[in-house]
Structures are given as C-alpha cells and as structure tokens.
Amino acid sequence: MAKGLFRSGMIVSFMTFLSRILGLVRDAVVANLLGAGAASDIFLFANKIPNFLRRLFAEGAFAQAFVPVLTQVKEEQGDDGVRVFIAQAAGTLGTILLIITLLGVLGSSVVAAIFAPGWFVESLNQTEQGFKFELFSQMLKLTFPYLFFISLVALSGAVLNVYNRFSVAAFTPVLLNISIIGCAYLFHDRFEYSAFALALGVFVGGIVQLGFQLPFLLKARLVSKPTWAWRNKNVKKVRTLMLPAMFGVSVSQINLLLDSVIASMLVTGSVSWLYYSDRLIEFPLGLFGIGIATVILPALSKLHVNDDKQAFQLTIDWGVRFILWLGIPACIGLITLAPLIISVLFGHGEFLSQPGHIDKVAAGVTAYAIGLVSFMMIKVLAPGFYAQQNTKTPAKIGIAAMALNMLFNIMLAPFYGYIGLALATSLSATCNAMLLYYFLHKSQSYRLSYFTLGFVVKCIVASAVMLFVIVYLKEWLIELNHGLFNQIKLLGILILSAVGVYFLSLMVMGVRLSTIKSVAKAES
C-alpha cells in the first residue's frame, strides 16, 4: 500500500500540476484582458460564488461524506451495490442541484445582493460604481449553472478515485482552463464587456468536464439510471454526514469568500488583489495538499472499515510528512519570489493600466503564504475524521475557526485592508489545523511520530539554506530583473537553484526518497 499511495499521490500531483499551470495561464489571460479594476472584480467574484458552492457542497462536504460510505458499500456489497448506490446518489444530488441552479439563475440579483452588499448599496445610491452590481447580477446567470455540472463531476470523480483511477479526476480541471482561455480569445470582442466571454468559458467548461468523465464510468460499468432516493439508508447516511462536513473541510473556502464579501466594501481592486494572491497560494496547495488528500481519504476509509488502527495512524503520519516536505519550502519560496512571479504572470496588458498592482498582490501572497502549511495540514488531518464517518468534530472546529476568522478580520481589516483579510484567513487556518491535530491525538487516532518531528526539523534547516541561496542569487543577478524575457530567465534560474539546494541539503542530512515513499518509515 505504501508504494501505491506514493505513486497515486504523485500521479494526482502531476495531473494537478498541469491543471494549475493552465490555471495560471488562464489568470494571465484574465489579467491581460481585464487588469485588476472593476471589470476584473466583477468576473472574479461572479466566478468565485459557484466555485465556492462547488467546494462547499460537492468537492467539500459531499466528497468527504460520500467517499467513506461508498468505500463501505464497495467492501460489503461489491460492484453491484456500488452501481445502485451511485444511481441513488446521482439522482438525489442531481435533482437538488438542478433546483438550486435554477433558483440561482432566476434570482441572480438576490444572490448578488447577498454576496456583494457593498456593490448593492452603491447601486441603490446610484454612485459612480453602481454599475458593478448590475453587471455582477447578469454575469451570475452564466457562471451559476457551473455548480450543477461540476458537482456531478465531483461525484463521478470521487467514484473513480475509490476505484484507484485518480488520473482522470485530477486531469479534468485542465478542461475548464482550456474552455475559459478559448472563449476569452474567441469571444472577447463579441461582448460589450470582455468579462462575459470569460463567464461563457466557465459555463462551457462545466459541460465539457462532465462529458469527459462519463465515458470512464461507462467503461467501468458503474453507470445506471439515476433515481430519487432521499430516504435510502446509504443516501441518508451521506446526508447526515454532509451538513457538519460543510463547516469542516470547507472552512478555508468559506473564509476566503467572506474575505471577498468584505473586500467588495473596500477600494476598487481589493477583490482582484485577493484573488490573484489566492491563486498563487492555490498552486502549491492544489499540487501537494489536495493531491495527497485525494488519495489518502479512500485509503483511510478502507483501513477504518478493516479496523487496522496501526496502519491508519501510520498513513496519516505519512501524509503529514509528505505535506511538510513540500509545503515548508513552498511557503518560503512564495514569500521570497512573489513580486517576480506576479510580474512574469500578470505584469502586462490591462494589469499595468494602474501602477502598484504587482506590489499589492505580492503583499497579499505573503499574508496568505503564512498559512500555507496550515491549509495543507487541514487537507491531511480532516480526512482522519471523515474516514471514520465523524463529521461533527471537524464541523465544530470549523465553526470555531470561522468565528476566529471574523474576529481577526475585525481586528486587522480596518488597519491593513485586504492584507488584513488575507492574514486573518491564515491565522484562522493555523488554529483550525492545530485543533484538528489536538482532537485526533485526544481520540488516539493519530499522534505525530518522533521520526516525523525530526524530519520536519531537517526540512526547516534545508529551507533556510534555500532561502539564503535565493536571496544571494537575486542580488547577484539583479540586472536580469528588467524586461519580460529576462524576468522569465531569472525566475527559472532561481526556482531550479532553490529546488536543487533544498533537496541536496536534505540528502546531506540523510533524507532519502524512501523516507518519503514509505508509510511504515515512522516505525523504524
């Protein structure tokens, strides 16, 4: 199982890497077309709402509740039982999603008023910025249906993951980025506001992603006619687990959305600065954190069903070790290289129409990066509860983290604006991760091993050496920090040097690939 987990994790991480690269290309296209002004704020917020609901209900709460139950059905009833359960889950979820989607499209003005109260007030007062609310409401009619399609994609992806076909679900987001980029270039001049072409790309992307995954389910003979089964025993179990799970694994997304709601009341550009900052954080988070979380939940669920407590403990410890191995240097690297990365990705076109955008986004990246390791730890520790079909504990922790986030927002936003919002999210995520570990330890489900503690110290030392080298090279090659081509070359040199120095430092301290690959290493 050890090699299988590592291999599956690397496959998911590689596919996610392709998706994140195209995601950055997509964001560069958005920055080039819209800059970081009002139009950018409107599209990014209109896209964030269905994505937030998708992560909350589908990939978040639904996946964490669905996978453990599906794993149990698979172990106890085989493929026939799985086929029936999938039809029941798809029919029930699909019907509810269709109703929510129709309500969202028809009531887009109400949704807009709830999520962007600052713009709503401006429209009522007929201020110069009042047009933002109307455009936001119209754009939601294109982006909100994405929730329906992508939630079904999350369901089919969860099924494929339980059957160890991780690459299909991990590759699927690539298609969304391709759709947005394609629509941006094909239709940007067909609308009065180019942002509507991007919104169309979101709509098309949802359909394409679902169409891509369905053939794989058909090939595995896991598809049958969806049926409404609200009172079915297993569907009811998923429903029961879902509600508290919404506040558990999705708390970071809730906090990010709250940041955007508050940012809509700040100066124009705040929503965009937060978005681009978050996108850079999402790259390592998606690449490493979500990659490991994707493969660890089915594995932990199976171990729990088979009552293998020792392997359960070792598997979480391996996940923590993997996360910290890559998360610590990613945090240091992002903080150090943020201005250069932002300049390379977004520093052209409309993004430069107003001075200061690069520095604004870089400051946001630093504030979010402080919590990067905590964001990643949540992705590994929360499945420790969900695999045991315990969603109440992480839900209580999530509610506490949300309350802390709002408290930090109140304390920091008046003084530091959008940077205060980002920092509040990082601080609340750190509290969330610490509480998850505390209750896992208290329930004797997981305890950080001494081996992993020693390993973390080595990662910190190696990251410090890496930081020294990056800072020295940046000063030595300062003349390259002018012009896009030179900046790309400089960024490549710095990243390759950082990666080389980090892993070489770990090797000098005795860390080998087997240290990362082996789940049972903590026993030795």
Side-chain angles (χ1 to χ4, degrees):
M1 185 184 72
K3 291 183 179 179
L5 271 179
F6 180 79
R7 183 170 57 251
S8 298
M10 294 310 294
I11 289 173
V12 173
S13 291
F14 177 72
M15 293 297 182
T16 307
F17 173 75
L18 294 179
S19 173
R20 298 297 178 181
I21 287 293
L22 271 175
L24 291 176
V25 173
R26 177 199 70 198
D27 292 335
V29 169
V30 174
N32 187 61
L33 284 176
L34 306 181
S40 176
D41 282 358
I42 293 166
F43 166 71
L44 296 177
F45 208 171
N47 187 34
K48 178 169 282 190
I49 290 175
N51 268 291
F52 161 73
L53 294 173
R54 178 255 302 179
R55 290 182 177 182
L56 186 63
F57 294 110
E59 293 176 0
F62 176 78
Q64 301 301 332
F66 179 68
V67 169
V69 177
L70 179 63
T71 302
Q72 185 175 358
V73 171
K74 182 174 180 285
E75 292 293 310
E76 295 175 353
Q77 302 176 28
D79 290 348
D80 290 337
V82 168
R83 194 176 300 109
V84 172
F85 179 47
I86 293 172
Q88 293 169 336
T92 306
L93 177 68
T95 302
I96 295 171
L97 285 170
L98 184 60
I99 294 171
I100 292 173
T101 300
L102 289 173
L103 290 174
V105 171
L106 295 175
S108 61
S109 296
V110 177
V111 176
I114 293 171
F115 285 98
W119 295 348
F120 179 60
V121 172
E122 287 178 346
S123 69
L124 290 178
N125 295 333
Q126 297 182 337
T127 65
E128 185 179 347
Q129 298 296 321
F131 75 97
K132 291 195 287 187
F133 176 78
E134 181 63 30
L135 288 180
F136 182 45
S137 175
Q138 292 176 14
M139 206 170 293
L140 276 174
K141 295 182 184 297
L142 273 176
T143 60
F144 205 91
Y146 179 71
L147 170 65
F148 174 78
F149 298 110
I150 202 59
S151 296
L152 295 179
V153 168
L155 185 150
S156 60
V159 174
L160 292 169
N161 287 341
V162 169
Y163 280 82
N164 296 322
R165 299 178 184 180
F166 297 103
S167 58
V168 178
F171 177 78
T172 302
V174 170
L175 301 173
L176 171 65
N177 295 324
I178 292 174
S179 297
I180 294 177
I181 294 169
C183 286
Y185 278 108
L186 291 174
F187 304 115
H188 73 275
D189 57 351
R190 304 287 181 90
F191 297 94
E192 182 180 357
Y193 294 93
S194 299
F196 279 94
L198 300 169
L200 177 62
V202 173
F203 180 84
V204 172
I207 299 173
V208 171
Q209 287 179 97
L210 182 60
F212 172 73
Q213 286 196 355
L214 282 177
F216 292 95
L217 287 176
L218 289 168
K219 185 178 180 180
R221 298 183 179 180
L222 294 173
V223 177
S224 57
K225 184 180 178 181
T227 57
W228 175 260
W230 181 257
R231 298 188 181 277
N232 174 265
K233 178 183 69 174
N234 290 321
V235 173
K236 187 177 180 180
K237 186 182 292 186
V238 173
R239 286 196 287 116
T240 303
L241 295 172
M242 265 188 74
L243 185 59
M246 289 181 189
F247 293 97
V249 73
S250 302
V251 67
S252 296
Q253 296 304 319
I254 295 172
N255 288 340
L256 287 170
L257 184 67
L258 289 174
D259 289 351
S260 295
V261 172
I262 297 173
S264 73
M265 305 176 190
L266 302 177
V267 298
T268 296
S270 294
V271 173
S272 297
W273 298 329
L274 278 176
Y275 172 82
Y276 290 120
S277 300
D278 175 52
R279 290 302 299 165
L280 287 188
I281 296 299
E282 284 286 336
F283 187 82
L285 178 60
L287 192 57
F288 311 131
I290 296 175
I292 294 304
T294 299
V295 302
I296 206 172
L297 179 59
L300 290 174
S301 299
K302 185 174 182 179
L303 291 171
H304 174 68
V305 171
N306 295 330
D307 198 28
D308 193 340
K309 294 180 180 179
Q310 183 182 21
F312 191 94
Q313 147 84 24
L314 292 173
T315 301
I316 297 181
D317 204 50
W318 168 80
V320 169
R321 200 158 57 243
F322 191 99
I323 286 299
L324 295 174
W325 174 53
L326 298 172
I328 294 172
C331 170
I332 301 298
L334 269 177
I335 293 174
T336 310
L337 298 176
L340 180 59
I341 295 173
I342 295 160
S343 182
V344 168
L345 292 175
F346 311 130
H348 36 78
E350 287 296 317
F351 194 81
L352 291 181
S353 61
Q354 296 179 9
H357 285 327
I358 291 176
D359 292 335
K360 297 285 189 183
V361 176
V365 170
T366 299
Y368 276 138
I370 291 171
L372 177 60
V373 172
S374 297
F375 294 138
M376 290 184 173
M377 289 292 286
I378 292 169
K379 299 294 183 183
V380 173
L381 296 178
F385 294 98
Y386 298 124
Q388 301 176 71
Q389 299 185 20
N390 173 8
T391 57
K392 292 184 178 179
T393 301
K396 293 176 182 177
I397 295 171
I399 293 171
M402 283 180 59
L404 285 171
N405 183 64
M406 291 309 297
L407 176 62
F408 293 143
N409 279 340
I410 293 170
M411 292 170 60
L412 299 172
F415 303 100
Y416 303 105
Y418 74 100
I419 297 174
L421 298 177
L423 188 58
T425 299
S426 294
L427 293 174
S428 64
T430 301
C431 295
N432 192 347
M434 292 173 65
L435 288 170
L436 286 171
Y437 175 74
Y438 171 78
F439 283 103
L440 279 174
H441 187 281
K442 186 178 180 180
S443 66
Q444 299 183 344
S445 297
Y446 171 62
R447 178 180 64 85
L448 195 67
S449 68
Y450 290 113
F451 178 84
T452 297
L453 282 172
F455 175 77
V456 171
V457 172
K458 294 177 181 178
C459 291
I460 293 173
V461 172
S463 296
V465 175
M466 180 194 76
L467 174 62
F468 175 81
V469 172
I470 293 177
V471 172
Y472 175 77
L473 284 177
K474 278 180 69 178
E475 291 298 321
W476 188 47
L477 301 172
I478 189 71
E479 70 278 359
L480 289 179
N481 199 16
H482 301 285
L484 180 59
F485 179 75
N486 282 337
Q487 287 181 332
I488 293 173
K489 185 163 61 174
L490 175 60
L491 183 60
I493 292 171
L494 293 175
I495 291 176
L496 290 175
S497 300
V499 170
V501 169
Y502 177 70
F503 288 113
L504 181 61
S505 299
L506 286 179
M507 286 182 62
V508 170
M509 289 184 284
V511 176
R512 300 291 181 267
L513 186 59
S514 60
T515 310
I516 311 302
K517 292 177 65 175
S518 178
V519 171
K521 193 72 178 178
E523 289 185 313
S524 58

